Each structure stands twice: as structure tokens, then as C-alpha cells.
Amino acid sequence: MPQPLSRRTVVSFVAVAVVAAAVGVAVAVTRDDSPAAGTTAGPPVRVVQPGAPGASSRTLSPDEVARISAPPHAPADTDFMQKMITHHLQALELTALVAGRSASADIPQLAKRIEVSQKDEIAQLQQWLVDRGEQLPEPHQNHVGHGNLMPGMLDATDLDKLAAAHGPAFDTLFLQLMIRHHEGALTMVNQLYQAGGGVESASDRVAREVTADQSIEIRRMRDMLG
């Protein structure tokens, strides 16, 4: 009676199949149950590429399997990374206004967490662009007064109003504006996938991290407003 595939074998095949599917190669898996003398290793996994209609399937060699590469990044990925850097930079402008204006004991701590996480993500986004030979965004590109604002971005009136506020009024406005800003980042992630981006694993990972971080902070800020 044939033995079931081991967990290690299944994981190995799934990894190959996911990558192969991403580049348009259909695969199927079979196993050779003939034991090899003097070995205890599990049976080898064979990756089979179905042929065109009327043609025979063929088994891919280990070298061919190794050459199956993940899909490259798309223009939508580059656009997302460039714009998210600018988006994060404005969040840092907001957190810089907290000192000397907030009357809350909690908001300065929140602002510091946002500052640290946004700086880390900016560095990650910049490295993604550099590694792929893509251009870093120009200073203030698509920022206040420079073209159409990205989702959640604040205009000059919003920034001036926040800068002029103090005490509890500042704290309330800061939370309201930062929630809107974070929600805009989530919209940008959705736009990335709608535009065909996020297929590259690194791009998808960055987008998911942005979604997770921003969603957690939105919930925290809504609780503070509540």
C-alpha cells in the first residue's frame, strides 16, 4: 500500500507549485516508491509539466525546477513604494508637532511609536527601490502643494490648523487626522493589488506589514478618542 507523502515532501512541493503557478507553469506531483538501497531518505518528488493539447507531459529536471523564478516586481509595486515613502514622511510631520502642544500622557507615547515604525518602514521601502534599481521619490513629490494628494494626505489647511492647536483640542485633532492618514495608507494598499501589484513576494510582504501596523494603530487611536 503506498505510503502518504511526508510533511516535508508536501511542503517542498507546495513551495515549488506556488512559484511555478506564479510564472505560468502548470505542475503536478508524483512520487517514486521504489526504495533506494542503503538509504532512509523519503521518496523524491517529481515535478511534471503538462503538455499542450495532444502533447505528452514531461518531468522537469532538478535544474529546470531550480530555474523557475518568482515573478518580477510590477510598475504598480514601484509606484506604491515611492508614494508610501512620501505618505510616511507626512506622518512624521504630524508626530513632530506633538511636543509642546499635547496635554495627554498617552499621545506622546503613541506619537513616538508611530515615529519609530514609520522611520523603519521608510528605510525598508527605500531599500526595496534601491535593490531593484528604481528611483527614490523626489523630496516633497506629490506632497502638499505638489500635485494631487494621495489618500489620507493632509493639505496645508489641515497642517496649519493642527500646528495652531494646543491642549485637549490638539489631542483630539491629532488623533482624527492621524486616523484619516492611516486609513489612506490602507486605501493605497488596496489600490496596489487592484493595479496588479503585490504579486512579487517582497512587495506583498511590505503591503501586508503596512496593513497590519496601520490597522493596529487605527484601533488604538479610536480607543483613545472613544
Side-chain angles (χ1 to χ4, degrees):
M1 177 178 179
Q3 297 298 314
L5 291 173
S6 68
R7 182 178 183 276
R8 183 174 182 180
T9 298
V10 171
V11 171
S12 298
F13 168 66
V14 169
V16 171
V18 168
V19 174
V23 295
V25 177
V27 299
V29 65
T30 64
R31 57 178 289 173
D32 183 355
D33 286 316
S34 301
T39 65
T40 58
V45 174
R46 297 171 58 220
V47 179
V48 179
Q49 181 180 24
S56 300
S57 300
R58 70 185 187 90
T59 300
L60 300 182
S61 70
D63 287 342
E64 288 175 317
V65 173
R67 286 197 297 271
I68 297 176
S69 60
H73 68 283
D77 297 317
T78 301
D79 185 62
F80 172 79
M81 301 294 175
Q82 292 169 337
K83 288 183 176 179
M84 192 58 74
I85 290 172
T86 301
H87 202 273
H88 280 7
L89 287 173
Q90 188 179 71
L92 298 182
E93 290 185 43
L94 271 65
T95 59
L97 294 174
V98 170
R101 293 180 174 84
S102 176
S104 169
D106 296 328
I107 286 183
Q109 296 179 9
L110 170 69
K112 186 61 178 179
R113 284 196 296 269
I114 292 175
E115 176 187 348
V116 171
S117 65
Q118 300 276 286
K119 284 183 176 179
D120 286 346
E121 285 185 358
I122 288 172
Q124 183 180 6
L125 296 166
Q126 290 173 330
Q127 190 62 52
W128 186 97
L129 291 168
V130 170
D131 289 345
R132 289 153 183 79
E134 299 288 0
Q135 184 177 359
L136 295 173
E138 297 293 332
H140 306 299
Q141 181 179 347
N142 204 19
H143 209 281
V144 176
H146 294 79
N148 296 325
L149 294 178
M150 290 174 279
M153 290 282 282
L154 311 182
D155 60 22
T157 301
D158 295 322
L159 294 173
D160 290 344
K161 186 176 181 180
L162 183 62
H166 290 81
F170 172 87
D171 294 333
T172 298
L173 185 58
F174 174 83
L175 292 171
Q176 291 172 339
L177 294 179
M178 190 63 85
I179 288 172
R180 189 214 301 177
H181 198 269
H182 277 30
E183 288 175 338
L186 300 183
T187 298
M188 291 171 66
V189 171
N190 290 333
Q191 291 174 340
L192 165 69
Y193 290 114
Q194 291 169 1
V199 176
E200 185 211 45
S201 60
S203 172
D204 178 59
R205 182 174 62 254
V206 169
R208 291 178 184 276
E209 289 173 354
V210 168
T211 297
D213 292 345
Q214 306 281 293
S215 297
I216 291 171
E217 290 173 355
I218 287 172
R219 290 195 295 269
R220 183 178 295 131
M221 290 187 286
R222 285 176 176 165
D223 288 342
M224 295 172 71
L225 273 177

